[in-house]
Amino acid sequence: MSDKDLELLVELAKEKLRKGVSKEDAIESFVKAGIMDTQGEYTEPYRQLEELAS
């Protein structure tokens, strides 16, 4: 990944933070990343996050 690619990703993240993210959009991102399933439950490798989130 080039420095320019990294800069673009950082700007994209900053823009999303400025706009805000809905709960549904956040869960959708976690599902796409494999962190949560479609029911909003953490997948096996990330079950420990549930304890931190509560």
Side-chain angles (χ1 to χ4, degrees):
M1 182 177 293
S2 71
D3 288 343
K4 182 156 179 74
D5 292 333
L6 189 54
E7 285 179 36
L8 290 171
L9 285 173
V10 168
E11 285 306 313
L12 178 62
K14 286 180 180 180
E15 183 178 335
K16 283 197 171 262
L17 286 173
R18 281 192 295 272
K19 288 182 178 178
V21 178
S22 70
K23 181 178 179 178
E24 292 80 15
D25 287 341
I27 291 175
E28 181 181 340
S29 293
F30 286 159
V31 169
K32 287 180 180 178
I35 297 169
M36 291 183 143
D37 62 21
T38 56
Q39 288 77 39
E41 301 292 325
Y42 288 98
T43 58
E44 187 60 39
Y46 301 96
R47 300 252 180 213
Q48 292 178 340
L49 292 175
E50 192 168 14
E51 293 174 18
L52 297 173
S54 56

